[in-house]
Amino acid sequence: MIKLFSLKQQKKDGDTNSKSGPQKKASAAQLRIQRDINELNLPKTCTTDFPDPDDLLNFKLIICPDEGFYKGGRFVFNFRVGPNYPHEPPKVKCETQVYHPNIDLEGNVCLNILREDWKPVLTINSIVYGLQYLFLEPNPEDPLNKEAADVLQSNRRLFEHNVAKAMRGNYIGSTFFERCLK
Amino acid sequence: MEVNNSSVEHLPQLSKRFGHLRKITERPGPFCHANFSASPENLEFLSTTCKILIIGAGGLGCELLKDVALMGFNDIHVIDMDTIELSNLNRQFLFRKNDIGFSKAERAAAFINARVPTCHVTPHFCKIQDYGEEFYRQFHIIICGLDSVVARRWINGMVLSLVKYDDDGSIEQESVIPIIDGGTEGFKGNARIIIPGLSACIDCTLDLFPPQVTYPLCTLANTPRLPEHCIEYVRVIQWEKENPFKAPLDGDDPQHILWIYEKSLERASQFNISGLSYRLVQGVIKHIIPAVASTNAVIAAACATEAFKVATNCYEFLNNYMVFNDGDGIYTYTYAAERKPDCLACSNIPRSVSIEDPNTTTLEDLIKQLCEDQEFQMKSPGLTTLIDGKSKTLYMSTVKSIEERTKCNLTCSLGELGLKDGQEIMVADPTTPNTIIIKLKYNTNEVEMK
C-alpha cells in the first residue's frame, strides 16, 4: 500500500490563464514509433521517405517488387500514425493507382493487420512485410477490387497481362491506370 | 475526547453544514489512515486550500460536481469542450432545456455556484489539450469523468510529465497529483485511483479497455451481412470518395448523419439487409454507449469519496481499481492493478547523462558516449527530443532519408543544437525493448548561445 504524503503540505502554484504550454514529455505513441522506426528492417524492395525528419508519425513507404506480377512497378504507400498508436493501427493508403484485387481505386488496402487483426505487439515492420506480401500473393478471396479479383481467379494469364498493361499506363476496362514503372 | 473547534467556529456555516463530515475528520478511529490526525484543519483544508479539477461535465461530471461541492470542496475547476444536447437532459441534471447549445462546463459551474454558495466553480470551455503544464500543476487532485481512452491517456501523460525525479531517481512527492478516474458503460462501471509514478497508470492497464469493433474492409466492400457493415462502408469508403460536405465527418452534425443514413439504407436494400435505423447510424458513427443514470451516480460517488479520503487522509484510499456491475443483481470487486514494468508512460524514468561541456561536446560525442558507456552499451541509437513542445529528430542512422537530413547535426555541439541543461532526449536502440529517456546534465552551467 502506498503511503500517501499529506496533500496539505503542498503549495500549488499555477497560472490559470496560461494556455497551451508545451508538454515536455514525449507521448507514448511518439516513444513507440521512434523505436519502430529506428528498428525498421526493410526488405531490399522497400524504402521509406520522411518528408519531415522531425515528424516520425507521417511518412511514405515505397515498394518496388522484384518478382511476381508486379515486378518492375513502384508503389507508394502513405502512413499516418495516430496518437493512440500502437493501440490503433496506423492509417495506410496506397497513393499509386494499382490494378490489384486487395487495393481499391481510392487506395484503400485490405490487409487484416491494418484493421481487424491489428495488435499492439505488431510494428511498422510487420505492416511493411504484409504489404510486400500483397504484391507477391494477391488474394482473390478477399477482394476490394472485385473485377481484378474475378480475373485473377478465372484467368491468371489475363490477370498477369492486365497488371503489366496497367503498370505501363493504360485503360483496364473503363479505368485508367497511371504509369508506375520504376 | 477533546476537540479543538476554534478554527471552524468562525465559519458557522461550515461547522453546521458539515456536521457529518466533522465526525469523520475531527475524531480519530481504529480504521484511520496512518497519516491521519483528527483536527478541524482537515475540513478547513478542503474548504480553503484544496484545489480540485473535474474533467468532463457530462453524465459523470454532473454527479461529480454535485458530490464534491456538497462534500466541502470549495475551489473546483471543471473542464469540458462539449455543448449541451437534448439527449443529455435525462441524466445530466445540472442542465435544463434552455441550456441546450451552451457550454456544459459553464452551465454546470453556474448551477453549482448558485446552489451551493460556499462553493466556487471555475469553468473551462475547451479541450483538455488546450492547457499545458502550468494549468494542471495547480491542482491537488484531478477527477476524470471521461468517455474517451485518448483523453484519459492524454491527462495521464500530462500528470506523469509533472512528476519530478531527484538525481537518484526517486520521486519528489510534491510533484505528484493523484488522478481519480471513473468510467461507465451501461450498467457497468469502474472507479480507480492513480498515483502517478507510484501505482498503475492508464497506459499500464490499457488492455482493460474493450477494443473497438472493426470489420474487415473486404467484407464491407463485397459481402456485407449486417446493417453495421453498410454504415461502416459508407463511413470508410463512400464518405472519403464523395466528400459530400467538403469536411471531415462530424458525428454531431445531423446533416452528416442523415447523409450516411440515406446512403447506408441504399446499400442495405441492395444487399437485402434489414434493421438499419437512424439511431443505429448514430450509434455506429459516434460509438454511442447507452448511459444509465444510476451507474453514473454510483461511480461518481465512489470517485468523490476517494477524493475526500485523499484530501483529508481520513481513511486508506482505494487500492486501486474497483469494478461495478448492476446489470443483474449487484456485483463489485476491487483489486490492485499492477504497474507494468515496461510501461511507456510511467516506467520511463529519465536516466542522467553527464556532459562535461555542452559547448565542446558534439552530438556525435554523445552518441559515442551512449555506445561506450557501461550503463548503456548501445549499438545504433536514434535520438529525438522536444524543443518548445515540438518533436525534433536529432539523429537516426537506420533510416536513409532521415540520416541524410540529420547527419549535419552530428558535428554540432549540444549547445548549438539548442539542448539545455536538464533536456530530455528520447533514445531508441536495438539493445532496449523500448525507447528510453536520458536527461542531459551539464557540468558547466554556461551555455554559449550562438
Side-chain angles (χ1 to χ4, degrees):
Chain A
M1 181 68 208
I2 297 144
K3 220 178 187 180
L4 193 70
F5 44 91
S6 172
L7 282 179
K8 276 180 272 182
Q9 267 91 61
Q10 292 186 31
K11 227 177 71 196
K12 295 280 168 181
D13 50 41
D15 181 2
T16 322
N17 299 320
S18 79
K19 275 214 166 190
S20 56
Q23 208 170 347
K24 74 161 191 263
K25 230 179 192 138
S27 66
Q30 191 83 34
L31 293 172
R32 172 55 200 269
I33 195 71
Q34 184 176 341
R35 188 204 73 171
D36 277 20
I37 299 299
N38 198 56
E39 281 165 41
L40 266 184
N41 187 2
L42 297 174
K44 61 179 187 302
T45 52
C46 298
T47 47
T48 50
D49 177 35
F50 288 78
D52 175 4
D54 291 336
D55 180 7
L56 301 180
L57 301 174
N58 293 288
F59 59 94
K60 295 187 194 306
L61 171 77
I62 299 115
I63 304 184
C64 303
D66 59 358
E67 56 180 313
F69 296 122
Y70 297 90
K71 185 175 172 179
R74 184 178 185 276
F75 306 96
V76 182
F77 290 84
N78 188 42
F79 280 63
R80 276 192 301 144
V81 180
N84 225 5
Y85 186 76
H87 297 277
E88 275 170 24
K91 293 206 161 45
V92 178
K93 284 238 164 182
C94 183
E95 290 189 342
T96 312
Q97 271 218 340
V98 53
Y99 179 78
H100 192 295
N102 312 111
I103 301 175
D104 73 11
L105 302 172
E106 273 73 49
N108 295 303
V109 183
C110 189
L111 180 66
N112 62 339
I113 56 169
L114 282 177
R115 284 179 69 83
E116 70 277 10
D117 289 334
W118 171 258
K119 289 185 181 58
V121 292
L122 296 172
T123 64
I124 298 295
N125 233 9
S126 338
I127 298 175
V128 171
Y129 279 93
L131 292 173
Q132 150 133 316
Y133 185 72
L134 278 187
F135 285 105
L136 299 177
E137 291 285 340
N139 174 6
E141 307 285 319
D142 293 325
L144 263 191
N145 180 340
K146 201 152 182 337
E147 286 159 40
D150 289 343
V151 175
L152 174 60
Q153 217 150 22
S154 59
N155 187 344
R156 246 180 121 79
R157 287 293 296 274
L158 179 61
F159 179 77
E160 190 173 1
H161 175 78
N162 282 351
V163 169
K165 194 171 153 196
M167 290 199 301
R168 286 197 303 270
N170 268 306
Y171 277 96
I172 305 291
S174 58
T175 314
F176 182 74
F177 290 86
E178 269 171 42
R179 188 183 157 87
C180 63
L181 288 174
K182 201 159 45 162
Chain B
M1 191 189 332
E2 204 173 315
V3 172
N4 175 12
N5 274 339
S6 61
S7 63
V8 181
E9 255 164 11
H10 68 274
L11 297 165
Q13 244 180 331
L14 205 69
S15 91
K16 208 172 160 191
R17 172 170 206 139
F18 296 117
H20 295 92
L21 293 182
R22 292 182 57 194
K23 290 195 177 85
I24 299 169
T25 54
E26 294 174 15
R27 292 175 184 176
F31 300 110
C32 288
H33 191 285
N35 287 354
F36 179 67
S37 53
S39 144
E41 283 170 20
N42 291 322
L43 214 50
E44 206 189 326
F45 170 72
L46 277 197
S47 62
T48 58
T49 317
C50 190
K51 209 168 183 176
I52 189 164
L53 173 68
I54 294 183
I55 301 182
L60 272 173
C62 282
E63 293 277 355
L64 283 167
L65 276 167
K66 172 256 294 171
D67 290 347
V68 297
L70 295 175
M71 239 175 177
F73 290 94
N74 281 346
D75 193 353
I76 305 168
H77 288 241
V78 60
I79 181 166
D80 196 312
M81 60 183 275
D82 272 345
T83 51
I84 298 156
E85 285 176 52
L86 177 67
S87 62
N88 301 146
L89 300 185
N90 71 328
R91 61 191 187 285
Q92 299 176 20
F93 50 81
L94 301 178
F95 311 134
R96 298 292 174 267
K97 209 164 178 184
N98 47 13
D99 291 329
I100 290 172
F102 291 97
S103 152
K104 287 187 178 179
E106 284 167 6
R107 288 296 152 128
F111 191 105
I112 298 284
N113 288 339
R115 183 66 180 260
V116 189
T118 50
C119 186
H120 183 72
V121 184
T122 312
H124 301 274
F125 177 28
C126 59
K127 290 195 226 160
I128 53 172
Q129 289 89 343
D130 289 347
Y131 287 127
E133 291 186 353
E134 289 308 309
F135 175 77
Y136 292 101
R137 205 198 310 275
Q138 63 182 316
F139 297 102
H140 289 93
I141 302 170
I142 295 176
I143 312 184
C144 299
L146 286 164
D147 59 357
S148 121
V149 178
V150 176
R152 280 193 177 87
R153 292 182 73 192
W154 192 90
I155 192 66
N156 183 58
M158 168 54 77
V159 171
L160 281 164
S161 78
L162 291 175
V163 176
K164 291 197 194 105
Y165 293 89
D166 293 339
D167 286 339
D168 61 357
S170 61
I171 287 181
E172 292 181 20
Q173 296 207 327
E174 307 76 59
S175 65
V176 172
I177 301 172
I179 298 181
I180 297 160
D181 179 52
T184 66
E185 191 178 296
F187 287 104
K188 294 179 285 188
N190 72 277
R192 65 187 295 191
I193 176 160
I194 296 164
I195 313 292
L198 295 170
S199 70
C201 79
I202 296 282
D203 267 70
C204 291
T205 55
L206 257 188
D207 37 3
L208 293 176
F209 294 107
Q212 230 177 55
V213 188
T214 44
Y215 307 101
L217 211 51
C218 27
T219 303
L220 302 185
N222 291 297
T223 50
R225 298 177 300 278
L226 301 170
E228 287 87 346
H229 290 158
C230 303
I231 301 167
E232 276 290 286
Y233 177 83
V234 176
R235 184 180 75 88
V236 176
I237 310 235
Q238 264 176 285
W239 183 276
E240 267 188 45
K241 199 156 138 188
E242 303 184 21
N243 200 353
F245 300 95
K246 306 279 170 264
L249 177 60
D250 176 2
D252 290 321
D253 187 329
Q255 267 194 305
H256 290 194
I257 298 286
L258 192 66
W259 190 87
I260 300 229
Y261 172 60
E262 283 165 359
K263 295 284 171 183
S264 312
L265 213 54
E266 259 172 51
R267 193 167 169 81
S269 68
Q270 216 178 320
F271 286 90
N272 284 326
I273 295 168
S274 58
L276 200 133
S277 67
Y278 186 82
R279 272 186 80 95
L280 184 72
V281 174
Q282 270 186 313
V284 172
I285 300 296
K286 293 180 71 180
H287 307 289
I288 290 180
I289 295 146
V292 174
S294 56
T295 314
N296 285 340
V298 171
I299 294 300
C303 290
T305 308
E306 290 311 312
F308 183 81
K309 289 195 276 186
V310 169
T312 61
N313 257 331
C314 68
Y315 191 75
E316 299 272 359
F317 50 81
L318 190 74
N319 184 25
N320 53 36
Y321 196 113
M322 183 205 64
V323 288
F324 170 84
N325 188 340
D326 65 350
D328 195 7
I330 288 189
Y331 174 75
T332 81
Y333 177 66
T334 300
Y335 70 100
E338 279 179 31
R339 284 185 78 181
K340 213 165 117 186
D342 60 349
C343 173
L344 279 178
C346 78
S347 294
N348 220 327
I349 301 168
R351 295 203 241 167
S352 273
V353 170
S354 168
I355 302 292
E356 241 357 277
D357 181 353
N359 300 307
T360 56
T361 309
T362 62
L363 187 63
E364 200 164 16
D365 295 332
L366 174 66
I367 291 172
K368 214 170 138 201
Q369 196 173 335
L370 290 172
C371 293
E372 288 173 358
D373 192 304
Q374 277 301 312
E375 193 194 335
F376 296 104
Q377 301 191 37
M378 294 188 167
K379 294 288 174 225
S380 54
L383 286 73
T384 68
T385 190
L386 288 176
I387 290 181
D388 298 327
K390 266 199 73 198
S391 176
K392 183 181 164 71
T393 304
L394 294 169
Y395 185 68
M396 207 173 259
S397 65
T398 49
V399 180
K400 210 175 133 223
S401 66
I402 299 180
E403 201 277 339
E404 279 167 4
R405 288 164 68 178
T406 53
K407 69 178 166 207
C408 53
N409 289 344
L410 286 176
T411 50
C412 294
S413 76
L414 303 183
E416 281 169 338
L417 290 168
L419 308 178
K420 303 189 176 76
D421 189 26
Q423 182 97 25
E424 290 188 354
I425 295 182
M426 285 69 80
V427 188
D429 188 77
T431 57
T432 59
N434 286 323
T435 303
I436 66 160
I437 299 173
I438 61 167
K439 197 172 180 175
L440 299 181
K441 206 165 168 345
Y442 292 169
N443 292 345
T444 38
N445 284 327
E446 296 289 301
V447 177
E448 293 164 30
M449 288 292 177
K450 283 172 193 165

